[in-house]
Amino acid sequence: MLWFFLAVSGAGPAFPRRGRPCPRPQPLPAAGGSGARLPVPRRAGGMCGRTACSLAAENLRRACAYRDRRGQHRQPEWVRQERYQPSYNKGPQSSGPVLLSRRHLQQDADSSERVLMDMRWGLVPSWFKQDNPSKLQFNTSNCRSDTMLSKSSYKGALLKGKRCVVLADGFYEWQQQSGGKQPYFIYFPQTKDAMDKEMEGDEEWKGWRLLTMAGIFDCWEPPGGGEMLYTYTIITVDASKDVSFIHHRMPAILDGDEAIRKWLDFAEVPTQEAVKLIQPTENIVFHPVSTFVNNIRNNTPECVAPIELGAKKEVKATPSNKVMLGWLKSSQEGSPQKKENDLPKWTSQFIHSPSPKKTSADVLQQWLGKQGQPAAKKHKA
């Protein structure tokens, strides 16, 4: 950990310089702002290069419920909600939902207040001088934890407190095999809580527990003026033991609301304290999925559906596979409604302590359909 403190020492406070918040974002044009074209999506060197986030905008907001500094139950306000598009297959240069402190956008705001914002995946540093983000010559969709305070692309933003939480149902990773690459879907364990009826309005969210990944964001303004472009990168660490057979790297996952609070509240938690949160976690489960997900254009529930590998390596997350199968079944068109007692739900990690390890049981298929599906055509065989 010594390098963290050496890099941070003498760098000043973790606030934006001169106390200025990031500019309030204006709607971005679909092509990325000011007519700029961004690179074609690609996997980020086999690290975290593909995610799924299938919740509709309002349900995503409910799933991110938290308690503020005064202990009050809150839901983060959406910024630029109309830009958010749910997807089962998000890649670099697509946009995705992130949490950040409201103070980044409003200088006098309580730094413990959170907002939801749709940002583009693949960080463009604020100091980048070219007129087109596609001219950035290196991949910034992932940021290694061991170099994030030494590489100029990330160091400045991190020392200014531009920390965010990247939200997803889970992420995909590919295991190298003799016959090619086998994709896996990796996510938080899901628990079944007894529940008598669906929730509405501001009631506590008991749906899919979102994966919460540590990220860094920045805002770039074209040299000639124009729309501000907000972008982020996902921090990666050495893979935990359970998933190291799939790949040697994994996202830095923030498990529980206390970790999320410390990562986001840059005014109260300085950089040298926040970086202690960046480490591997064992509190994840996984299952193999079809190579259907390999094509970034495929955006249906089939991307996350568990498959059988036969005699290949046994998947340790069998209970969660059943959870996911249950979630997927109800997402199919014309599916009969399951009995209420068969509907597994989860309490929000933003309110309660981290879920117990590897204790899932039958769900994934329900929430793909119940909580808002992406606007995508179903895959035809």
Side-chain angles (χ1 to χ4, degrees):
M1 297 296 295
L2 179 60
W3 63 271
F4 278 128
F5 296 96
L6 291 176
V8 174
S9 60
F15 295 90
R17 291 176 183 172
R18 295 183 297 280
R20 294 184 302 172
C22 296
R24 185 79 175 182
Q26 299 298 317
L28 295 176
S34 304
R37 294 188 62 201
L38 293 172
V40 176
R42 62 188 186 278
R43 285 214 303 266
M47 289 188 241
C48 180
R50 208 75 70 78
T51 67
C53 192
S54 61
L55 291 182
E58 189 56 33
N59 283 334
L60 191 72
R61 181 171 177 260
R62 291 167 59 203
C64 293
Y66 69 102
R67 295 193 186 280
D68 64 15
R69 204 186 309 281
R70 296 176 295 279
Q72 295 181 333
H73 183 273
R74 303 177 66 99
Q75 293 180 359
E77 177 188 348
W78 262 108
V79 176
R80 207 165 55 182
Q81 177 179 338
E82 70 283 354
R83 284 282 165 186
Y84 170 64
Q85 293 294 325
S87 175
Y88 299 111
N89 201 350
K90 287 182 177 290
Q93 307 308 332
S94 67
S95 62
V98 304
L99 285 171
L100 65 154
S101 168
R102 180 185 290 276
R103 185 173 290 191
H104 288 297
L105 305 177
Q106 183 181 336
Q107 187 173 3
D108 59 352
D110 183 342
S111 61
S112 71
E113 290 187 28
R114 304 173 190 178
V115 294
L116 265 169
M117 188 172 174
D118 196 58
M119 293 188 187
R120 197 176 295 275
W121 185 3
L123 188 142
V124 179
S126 58
W127 48 257
F128 186 62
K129 300 302 182 184
Q130 299 289 333
D131 60 355
N132 190 328
S134 66
K135 295 179 181 179
L136 193 65
Q137 295 300 307
F138 38 91
N139 191 320
T140 58
S141 54
N142 288 159
C143 164
R144 291 180 62 97
S145 62
D146 53 347
T147 59
M148 63 185 179
L149 279 168
S150 60
K151 288 190 177 293
S152 60
S153 298
Y154 314 116
K155 179 179 178 180
L158 185 56
L159 293 179
K160 292 176 184 177
K162 293 182 179 179
R163 310 193 297 254
C164 65
V165 173
V166 182
L167 303 169
D169 301 338
F171 70 97
Y172 301 98
E173 193 52 84
W174 281 256
Q175 179 194 26
Q176 184 66 57
Q177 299 180 344
S178 57
K181 292 185 176 182
Q182 172 59 52
Y184 284 80
F185 188 58
I186 304 171
Y187 50 102
F188 270 138
Q190 306 294 326
T191 59
K192 290 203 298 184
D193 290 328
M195 183 167 179
D196 295 327
K197 62 181 181 179
E198 284 294 321
M199 309 143 314
E200 296 180 359
D202 292 331
E203 293 185 38
E204 183 180 343
W205 174 254
K206 294 183 180 178
W208 188 260
R209 182 184 175 189
L210 293 171
L211 195 68
T212 44
M213 299 174 282
I216 303 169
F217 77 93
D218 212 341
C219 38
W220 174 81
E221 183 176 6
E227 305 284 0
M228 297 293 297
L229 179 64
Y230 283 76
T231 58
Y232 69 88
T233 185
I234 296 174
I235 300 172
T236 65
V237 294
D238 290 334
S240 60
K241 182 179 178 181
D242 282 352
V243 297
S244 60
F245 81 95
I246 302 175
H247 197 273
H248 67 281
R249 302 290 293 177
M250 68 181 295
I253 295 170
L254 301 167
D255 190 2
D257 193 61
E258 181 64 10
I260 293 170
R261 181 194 67 78
K262 289 181 177 179
W263 185 250
L264 292 180
D265 195 346
F266 68 102
E268 292 294 325
V269 182
T271 306
Q272 61 265 35
E273 290 298 317
V275 295
K276 295 177 182 178
L277 300 166
I278 305 303
Q279 54 188 312
T281 180
E282 298 285 350
N283 190 31
I284 51 174
V285 291
F286 51 86
H287 62 254
V289 295
S290 167
T291 54
F292 179 72
V293 74
N294 291 5
N295 189 330
I296 192 69
R297 291 186 292 274
N298 292 335
N299 178 19
T300 70
E302 184 176 344
C303 291
V304 298
I307 64 168
E308 294 290 337
L309 291 182
K312 296 183 180 181
K313 184 175 179 71
E314 181 182 357
V315 178
K316 298 181 180 180
T318 300
S320 280
N321 295 356
K322 295 178 182 178
V323 171
M324 186 158 280
L325 283 169
W327 182 19
L328 282 168
K329 284 178 183 176
S330 68
S331 73
Q332 306 305 312
E333 294 177 351
S335 295
Q337 182 68 34
K338 296 177 76 68
K339 295 180 180 179
E340 287 184 352
N341 290 340
D342 293 335
L343 298 179
K345 313 284 182 178
W346 307 273
T347 24
S348 171
Q349 82 275 26
F350 294 86
I351 301 300
H352 299 286
S353 59
S355 60
K357 294 184 179 181
K358 311 208 169 33
T359 56
S360 305
D362 297 313
V363 171
L364 180 66
Q365 296 186 326
Q366 275 142 256
W367 293 102
L368 291 177
K370 293 173 84 66
Q371 304 304 325
Q373 295 189 29
K377 296 181 179 178
K378 289 193 173 291
H379 174 62
K380 295 181 180 180

